[in-house]
Amino acid sequence: MSTIAPPANPEADPRVKAVFDDIRATRQTDFINNLWRYLAFDATLLEATWAEVKRVMATPSSLDPLTKEMVYITASIVNGCSYCVHSHTASATAKGMTHEQHAELLSIVMLASKTNQLATGLQVPLDPVFDRG
């Protein structure tokens, strides 16, 4: 259950409409997902969040779009965000993620979680060769 109600007509606010129009243009779709609809309760927060998402996820960079989505899925699993796991799994699938890649990604996330907990529980000291500080 949401902690707030989304605005009834978010695009009545010209700032929100501008962000929604940019999302539609950037993603080449008319679909505006619930995250953006709920963030529309605060135009400043919506603008800032979309600007960052657009810069990191939609701007060409050294990581390809599928890799970015798979990293986002991993972070969403670790952070326990079901909404983002679903949203970015759908996006990764649309960008070409296969069932085999998804299964391998989940295996890596599971393995990292296990070995992270072991290293934390044992308080394993850092190897000097890994310390770049």
Side-chain angles (χ1 to χ4, degrees):
M1 173 187 256
S2 176
T3 59
I4 63 161
N9 184 15
E11 294 188 65
D13 181 327
R15 290 172 63 194
V16 171
K17 181 171 179 6
V19 172
F20 283 12
D21 286 345
D22 193 39
I23 291 169
R24 290 182 184 107
T26 301
R27 294 184 168 171
Q28 299 178 331
T29 182
D30 287 332
F31 179 67
I32 300 295
N33 67 39
N34 278 341
L35 176 65
W36 304 115
R37 292 185 180 285
Y38 277 73
L39 283 174
F41 85 99
D42 183 317
T44 301
L45 180 61
L46 173 68
E47 290 166 338
T49 305
W50 170 244
E52 189 170 9
V53 168
K54 184 177 178 180
R55 180 181 58 79
V56 172
M57 296 300 290
T59 302
S61 69
S62 60
L63 294 177
D64 65 271
L66 177 55
T67 299
K68 289 181 181 185
E69 292 297 341
M70 293 173 79
V71 170
Y72 213 114
I73 292 167
T74 301
S76 299
I77 291 168
V78 171
N79 288 318
C81 182
S82 177
Y83 183 88
C84 293
V85 169
H86 284 273
S87 159
H88 289 276
T89 299
S91 186
T93 300
K95 289 177 173 59
M97 181 176 70
T98 66
H99 292 298
E100 292 79 14
Q101 288 173 316
H102 191 205
E104 186 173 355
L105 174 66
L106 294 175
S107 294
I108 294 166
V109 171
M110 181 273 311
L111 177 61
S113 294
K114 179 179 181 175
T115 58
N116 289 176
Q117 292 298 320
L118 289 170
T120 299
L122 295 170
Q123 291 295 291
V124 177
L126 184 63
D127 298 272
V129 70
F130 299 148
D131 189 0
R132 298 178 69 182

